Structures are given as C-alpha cells and as structure tokens.
C-alpha cells in the first residue's frame, strides 16, 4: 500500500470546514492507503499562543481526530513534537533549500503582512519543516487544498535536488485533492475560507459548538439575492450551504437542489443547521469519552510516537550517511 501523510496544526479549534475539507477525506483514505497522521504542534509555535491553550488544543484535536473516525489501530497517529526526527531533518533540508525558494512562499508573505510584529525565522522556514514531515515517511500522497500546493511543490523540489545530488533517497510526493467539500466558506463572508482562527467566530461552526450555537450561526448565515436554492457563481452564500449540507447528508449537490426546490432560504438554513447539529452531537459524545480517558490518550500517543520514531529514523539514518555524517 502507498503511504499518505497529512497533518493539522492545533492553533485553533477544529471546524466543520476542517472536517468536510480534510478530515472526512483522511478517514476514507485509510481503507486504501497506509496513512500517517500527525497533530503538528511544532508548526503551531510560529505564532504567539499561550502554553496552556496550545496544550488544550493539542489534546482536543488528538481526541477529536479519533472521535471523527481516524482509528489509531489502522492509521499511524502521533504528536509531531514527540518525534525529534522532524526537527532534525528540517535543519538538514534547510541546507538544501535556496533562500529565494523560501522567500517566494505566498503564505509567508501573507502571514508576515498580517502579523508584522512577529515575522520569525520559524515562519520563514515553516515550508521546509513541512517538507521534512512528508519526506521522513516516504509519503507518496499528501491530501492538500489549493493553498498548500506551493508548499508541496517546494517539498518535491527539495527531494529531487537531494536525490539528484546523492542518490534516490526520498519518495517524490504527489497531492490528493478532495472532490467534494474541499473548501468550506465562512457563514458570514462566503468569499472567505472558514478557518480555525477567524476573527469573527459567528461565521465559523466549531466541532464542539452546542446545538443552540450551531442553529444561531446558520440562521444568521449570509445568503444571496433571489430565493433559489441552487449552486451558482453569483450565489456564493447559498452555494456554500448546499456544499455543507450535501457532504453532511451524503447527497450530491444536484440531489440537494431537487430536495429543496421551491423552499425558501430560511427553511433551508434551518435544515442545514439541524443536519450539522445532529451529526456533531454523535461526534461530541464520542469525543467526551476519549478526552476524559487520560490513560487511553497517553497509550495512543506513546504507541504512535514509538512507531513514528522507528519509521522516521530509518529515513534520517540514510540521509545522514549520504551527506557524510559520522555514525557512532
């Protein structure tokens, strides 16, 4: 089986956008691939985040991933900071990455402009750590959105450069793009992606929101002129709601449009809210059990870290030998 690698940063609370756009696809991939998933806490410290918040977010995310269907007995699940090879390979790959290549990364420019008071070296080198994450496990495929495509291309460039200078060492990774629900937009601004750290939480549905909160957010969701429930470029608000409902309900967008033909926006928004609240109610019940079981969480983390270290060390040892480091 080919290997798939994916990671999520614990810099905020998981949203339905994270689930529909990434996690749902990650769960499905485990039936066909050798899947390696990590909570990328090393990546999270490029921004200022209080230690207690980072710790809670990390445990919440780890627990939610299991509750959402990522089975640690079938997929490798671990915390990135518990596997030191990520940091070590990242430093090595920094030396095989050109300054101009890193400087061209769009996300570095965007995040630097957003937080000019904290343009740290880690933010600049972030894509190289991402490359190390992927290349450590010889991943063939990486589920990504369009905003991560540039980072994957850099990982490919670094891998090809290293392979060409020495000999074939790294698998050259390819992207997997989910076909449905790839991009869930804010309920208040359907031209902007729904994110974990949005300034206005009213446009974001978090996986741990209670039903009253979920219903309130969907009732206030921005729609468009007219009253047709159809997917169209000039209807970003209603198109976004149709996408959310279709993936949650397991229906095509065409089926959703037929189901609500003749309905008004208010009726449809309530239906979407109810569907999301019912779905998340089951997830939240499972999450609470997992999150409260500290012994279980510790055992899953330890097992995952040990397995990841074993696999990562094989790649790192090969890299060190090829570049000329002396082995004890």
């Amino acid at each position: 089986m080919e290997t798939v690698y994916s990671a999520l940063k614990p810099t905020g609370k998981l949203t339905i956008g994270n689930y529909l756009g990434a996690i749902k696809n990650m769960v499905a991939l485990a039936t066909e691939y050798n899947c390696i998933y990590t909570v990328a806490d090393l990546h999270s410290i490029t921004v200022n985040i209080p230690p207690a918040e980072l710790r809670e977010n990390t445990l919440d995310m780890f627990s939610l991933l299991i509750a959402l269907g990522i089975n640690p007995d079938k997929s490798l699940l671990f915390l990135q900071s518990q596997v030191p090879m990520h940091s070590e390979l990242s430093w090595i790959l920094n030396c095989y990455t050109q300054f101009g290549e890193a400087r061209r990364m769009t996300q570095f420019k965007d995040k630097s402009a957003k937080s000019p008071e904290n343009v740290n070296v880690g933010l600049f080198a972030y894509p190289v750590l991402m490359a190390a994450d992927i290349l450590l496990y010889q991943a063939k495929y990486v589920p990504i959105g369009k905003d991560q495509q540039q980072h994957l291309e850099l990982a490919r460039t670094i891998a090809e450069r290293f392979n060409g200078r020495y000999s074939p060492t790294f698998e050259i990774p390819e992207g997997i793009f989910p076909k449905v629900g790839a991009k869930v937009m804010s309920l208040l601004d359907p031209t902007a992606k729904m994110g974990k750290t949005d300034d206005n939480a009213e446009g974001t549905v978090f996986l741990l929101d209670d039903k009253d909160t979920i219903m309130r957010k969907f009732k206030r969701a921005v729609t468009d002129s007219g009253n047709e429930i159809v997917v169209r470029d000039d209807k970003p608000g209603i198109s976004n709601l149709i996408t959310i409902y279709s993936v949650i309900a397991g229906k095509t967008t065409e089926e959703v449009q037929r189901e609500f033909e003749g309905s008004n926006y208010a009726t449809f928004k309530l239906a979407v809210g109810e569907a999301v609240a019912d779905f998340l109610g089951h997830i939240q019940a499972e999450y609470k059990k997992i999150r409260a079981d500290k012994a279980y969480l510790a055992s899953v983390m330890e097992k995952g870290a040990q397995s990841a270290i074993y696999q990562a060390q094989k790649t790192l040892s090969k890299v060190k030998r090829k570049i000329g480091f002396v082995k004890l």
Side-chain angles (χ1 to χ4, degrees):
M1 295 173 73
E2 300 282 10
T3 295
V4 167
Y5 178 90
S6 189
L8 290 170
K9 286 188 303 180
T11 47
K13 303 296 184 183
L14 287 173
T15 72
I16 59 166
N18 298 128
Y19 173 70
L20 300 182
I23 300 170
K24 187 173 188 291
N25 191 47
M26 289 163 62
V27 173
L29 288 170
T31 62
E32 301 177 46
Y33 299 97
N34 169 41
C35 292
I36 299 175
Y37 298 137
T38 184
V39 176
D41 47 353
L42 289 177
H43 285 290
S44 68
I45 60 172
T46 59
V47 299
N48 291 322
I49 181 169
E53 182 181 334
L54 174 58
R55 193 172 295 111
E56 288 303 303
N57 284 356
T58 300
L59 292 171
D60 286 351
M61 181 176 286
F62 198 87
S63 303
L64 268 171
L65 289 175
I66 299 172
L68 288 164
I70 293 180
N71 186 341
D73 292 327
K74 295 182 179 179
S75 300
L76 176 53
L77 179 64
F78 64 98
L79 297 187
Q80 184 189 30
S81 63
Q82 294 178 349
V83 182
M85 294 79 190
H86 287 256
S87 300
E88 194 170 354
L89 182 61
S90 180
W91 165 250
I92 293 171
L93 296 185
N94 277 327
C95 301
Y96 295 85
T97 306
Q98 297 304 301
F99 183 81
E101 291 169 338
R103 186 172 55 187
R104 284 194 293 271
M105 295 295 104
T106 303
Q107 283 202 24
F108 171 70
K109 296 176 184 177
D110 292 345
K111 291 180 179 179
S112 297
K114 189 175 181 180
S115 302
E117 76 288 349
N118 187 31
V119 185
N120 55 72
V121 175
L123 184 64
F124 184 75
Y126 178 105
V128 183
L129 176 57
M130 185 180 292
D133 297 340
I134 298 165
L135 300 179
L136 264 178
Y137 302 99
Q138 306 294 345
K140 177 66 175 177
Y141 299 112
V142 184
I144 56 171
K146 291 181 180 179
D147 58 339
Q148 295 292 338
Q149 191 166 2
Q150 192 182 34
H151 288 168
L152 180 62
E153 287 303 320
L154 180 63
R156 289 171 56 86
T157 297
I158 295 169
E160 288 167 350
R161 179 176 293 136
F162 193 96
N163 290 353
R165 183 173 300 185
Y166 301 102
S167 61
T169 306
F170 298 118
E171 179 76 57
I172 307 301
E174 299 175 17
I176 295 177
F177 301 90
K179 296 178 181 178
V180 180
K183 202 168 187 180
V184 175
M185 314 307 282
S186 166
L187 298 185
L188 295 183
D189 180 6
T191 64
K193 186 177 177 181
M194 184 183 289
K196 301 196 302 291
T197 56
D198 284 352
D199 294 333
N200 192 342
E202 288 300 302
T204 302
V205 179
F206 299 100
L207 296 184
L208 297 180
D209 278 347
D210 60 41
K211 183 170 183 177
D212 288 344
T213 301
I214 292 168
M215 296 306 297
R216 184 188 73 243
K217 290 180 178 180
F218 276 104
K219 286 177 184 177
R220 295 178 180 177
V222 169
T223 47
D224 319 283
S225 59
N227 209 27
E228 294 176 282
I229 299 172
V230 293
V231 174
R232 264 198 342 237
D233 289 343
D234 63 340
K235 288 182 171 291
I238 204 67
S239 297
N240 186 42
L241 294 177
I242 290 172
T243 296
I244 293 170
Y245 185 84
S246 69
V247 183
I248 289 289
K251 299 179 180 180
T252 65
T253 54
E254 291 76 14
E255 288 172 333
V256 176
Q257 289 173 103
R258 286 196 298 270
E259 181 181 346
F260 290 94
E261 186 176 1
S263 296
N264 57 42
Y265 284 170
T267 299
F268 182 56
K269 288 197 285 187
L270 285 175
V272 180
E274 288 284 353
V276 171
D278 288 347
F279 172 78
L280 291 185
H282 298 295
I283 298 300
Q284 290 169 8
E286 184 64 19
Y287 157 80
K288 288 175 183 176
K289 291 182 197 173
I290 296 168
R291 186 68 173 82
D293 194 339
K294 294 181 180 179
Y296 171 73
L297 276 178
S299 68
V300 173
M301 286 181 191
E302 183 176 359
K303 178 184 174 184
Q306 288 177 348
S307 180
I309 287 170
Y310 174 76
Q311 294 185 48
Q313 187 60 53
K314 288 195 293 184
T315 296
L316 188 60
S317 295
K318 187 186 299 185
V319 168
K320 287 180 172 182
R321 175 176 56 80
K322 290 190 177 186
I323 63 179
F325 288 166
V326 176
K327 182 179 179 181
L328 283 175

